[in-house]
């Protein structure tokens, strides 16, 4: 997908930069809760991309104890969905990430890692519809969970995508 | 029961009706796998009546709260017996060819008449024992509510009673309304896969409810036959294939209120071409249908990310080629009449000749036409050569008055 004005109305509503900005921030927030460290850019984008897909979101495990590789193995449709949708979704998530950085919702360290400045995003996840809440919760969960398996490159290889 | 707590409380009966419909749909789905030589009707002979080539099954359904038991003296049991006994006494029911099924979500206490009338596979069927238990319960009971039920039972001869009992099968602990919903969803998953199961089932249930209402209101409409169900089921399933998208009937029937759209840019674009009111009306209708259907596809996640944008891009590109050609042919000095005539050509092309489809099998015309109007509404396509400036100048007076 190219410029925002060329998106259809439906897509402009769902993939607007303000919302995808919040999603990247939710992933960063989740990452910090679990690991207490700044979050890699690739993870912030990946978390948002995965959270936006119902086929992935609905299959996420309940807690972070589950192994990522086993989960991918057991839910083969996840990989299929990622292959089909990840490129298009990354194209709408990236402007969101930029927007988050421009508006200092997120900040970037010298090493190129992402931080969520204190007080910029409430911990309680709310939203006008159930879907909006569910997507944010999924992004938060992915931030906490995805890196638990090892390096980012392992996770991405498992999911069949690359940054 | 509920009557004493609140005389107007009807949630139990409401659930009962929904249960009846869902169970009937579930029966159809189950039978569908076995062939098409059957029919299912609601409230025809019984709660549900299922007819095969040479046999009939009458279903009585009872949806009860968890923990309720179907005892020998229970109202559910006797009211059911009353209906069947009445039909037998009135010769409306041929015991030779009819199975009587009482399906309840309640428990069947061990040794009770109901438990003795379970299907043979349960391993405890004892028709004589059940009839004895029923006769004893009838003698012992003083329940006034069941007076009519007992009276019907009494009118049967001993032989008829034995005949009736021999045809009865009681199914206890049947799946409740939610569990039947889950069973239906399982079937939907096998038909169209996890991603589309829910929207598929919503449409199938919607059709089934409408169809049942028609059958109940106009008694001359036939029961749902295996053939009809097969057609509908296959049709809905095909709409969820990767190369298709579902078109919802309620949307295809939408008729808009024209006045509310007169200020929209796509209508103003048509006014530049002097399009007649009836044709503008059709444009508004297509716009609204496409808008609603596309929103619903998005809401139900039936589209791939970027799919609509790609579709729109193709429409815009095809339109762009024709538009540029028109610009060349008209030149700078064209008269307004020539401009309008050329614009009408492009509009005619967009409404009748565009072959693009959002997916290869989704051939509903309003999707393309309405999408063009949505693009025209966003000024991304236009018909009149000067549409951009003309639409802007139309907006100016309003903008000028705003401080």
């Amino acid at each position: 997908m190219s410029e925002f004005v060329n998106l259809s109305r439906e897509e402009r509503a769902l993939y607007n930069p303000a919302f995808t900005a919040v999603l990247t921030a939710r992933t960063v927030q989740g990452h910090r809760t679990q690991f207490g460290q700044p979050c890699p850019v690739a993870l912030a984008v990946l978390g948002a991309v995965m959270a936006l897909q119902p086929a992935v979101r609905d299959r996420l495990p309940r807690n972070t104890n589950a192994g990522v590789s086993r989960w991918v193995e057991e839910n083969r449709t996840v990989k299929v969905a990622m292959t089909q949708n990840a490129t298009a979704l990354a194209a709408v998530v990236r402007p969101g990430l930029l927007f988050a950085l421009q508006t200092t919702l997120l900040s970037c360290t010298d090493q190129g890692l992402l931080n969520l400045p204190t007080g910029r995003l409430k911990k309680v996840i709310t939203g006008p519809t159930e879907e909006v809440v569910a997507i944010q919760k999924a992004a938060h969960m992915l931030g906490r969970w995805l890196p638990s398996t090892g390096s980012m490159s392992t996770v991405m290889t498992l999911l069949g995508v690359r940054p | 029961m509920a009557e004493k707590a609140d005389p107007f409380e009807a949630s139990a009966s409401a659930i009962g009706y929904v249960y009846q419909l869902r169970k009937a749909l579930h029966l159809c789905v189950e039978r569908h796998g076995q062939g098409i030589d059957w029919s299912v009707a609601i409230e025809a002979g019984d709660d549900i009546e299922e007819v095969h080539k040479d046999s009939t099954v009458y279903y009585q359904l009872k949806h009860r709260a968890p923990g309720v038991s179907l005892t020998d003296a229970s109202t559910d049991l006797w009211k059911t017996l009353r209906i069947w006994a009445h039909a037998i006494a009135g010769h409306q029911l041929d015991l030779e060819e009819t199975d009587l099924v009482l399906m309840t979500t309640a428990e069947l206490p061990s040794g009770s008449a109901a438990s003795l009338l379970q299907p043979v596979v349960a391993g405890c069927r004892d028709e004589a024992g059940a009839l004895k238990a029923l006769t004893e319960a009838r003698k012992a009971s003083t329940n006034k509510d069941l007076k009519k039920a007992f009276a019907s039972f009494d009118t049967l001869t001993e032989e008829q009673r034995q005949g009736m009992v021999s045809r009865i099968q009681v199914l206890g602990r049947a799946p409740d309304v939610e569990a039947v919903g889950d069973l239906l969803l399982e079937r939907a998953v096998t038909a169209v896969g996890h991603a589309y199961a829910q929207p598929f089932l919503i449409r199938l249930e919607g059709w089934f409810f409408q169809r049942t209402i028609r059958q109940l209101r106009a008694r001359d409409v036939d029961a749902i036959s295996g053939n009809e169900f097969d057609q509908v089921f296959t049709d809905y399933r095909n709409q969820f294939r990767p190369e298709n998208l579902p078109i919802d009937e309620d949307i295809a029937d939408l008729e808009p209120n024209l006045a509310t759209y007169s200020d929209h840019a796509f209508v103003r674009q048509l006014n530049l071409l002097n399009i007649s009111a009836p044709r503008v009306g059709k444009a508004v209708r297509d716009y609204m249908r496409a808008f609603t259907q596309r929103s619903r596809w998005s809401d139900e996640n039936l589209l791939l990310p970027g799919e609509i944008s790609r579709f729109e891009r193709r429409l815009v590109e095809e339109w762009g080629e024709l538009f540029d050609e028109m610009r060349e042919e008209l030149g700078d000095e064209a008269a307004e009449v020539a401009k309008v005539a050329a614009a009408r050509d492009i509009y005619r092309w967009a409404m009748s000749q565009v072959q693009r489809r959002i997916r290869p099998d989704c051939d509903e015309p309003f999707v393309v036409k309405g999408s063009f109007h949505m693009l025209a509404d966003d000024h991304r396509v236009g018909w009149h050569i000067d549409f951009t400036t003309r639409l802007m100048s139309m907006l100016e007076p309003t903008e000028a008055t705003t401080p």
Side-chain angles (χ1 to χ4, degrees), chain B residues 98-133:
Chain B
T98 311
D99 283 325
L100 306 167
V101 177
L102 170 58
M103 190 179 273
T104 174
T105 58
E107 306 270 340
L108 308 180
S110 145
S112 67
S115 79
L116 297 176
L117 288 176
Q118 290 179 87
V120 182
V121 281
C124 55
R125 190 167 172 93
D126 174 5
E127 289 162 11
L131 185 56
K132 194 165 149 240

Side-chain angles (χ1 to χ4, degrees), chain A residues 68-88:
Chain A
V68 177
S69 50
R70 182 149 174 213
W71 175 75
V72 176
E73 191 67 27
E74 283 171 0
N75 295 279
R76 297 195 173 235
T77 45
V78 168
K79 208 168 165 177
V80 176
M82 286 299 282
T83 320
Q84 213 167 34
N85 306 330
T87 318

Side-chain angles (χ1 to χ4, degrees), chain B residues 142-206:
Chain B
T142 50
N143 189 341
K144 279 180 196 154
D145 290 345
L146 295 178
K147 233 165 122 184
K148 286 182 183 163
F150 294 146
S152 296
F153 188 70
D154 293 342
T155 55
L156 296 184
T157 64
E158 188 59 28
E159 196 184 335
Q160 279 175 319
R161 283 183 206 170
Q162 279 168 6
M164 174 171 81
V165 167
S166 73
R167 303 306 296 197
I168 295 179
Q169 297 189 33
V170 181
L171 306 173
R173 298 179 73 172
D176 64 7
V177 66
E178 279 164 10
V180 175
D182 292 343
L183 290 173
L184 281 171
L185 195 61
E186 272 178 34
R187 296 284 179 153
V189 168
T190 34
V192 295
H194 277 284
Y196 305 134
Q198 198 70 52
F200 168 80
L201 187 57
I202 288 171
R203 283 166 178 83
L204 189 66
E205 274 196 333

Side-chain angles (χ1 to χ4, degrees), chain B residues 351-365:
Chain B
M351 291 301 113
S352 58
Q353 286 167 39
V354 179
Q355 300 292 325
R356 287 268 160 241
R357 291 175 182 171
I358 184 159
R359 289 192 188 170
D361 286 355
C362 184
D363 57 359
E364 181 66 44

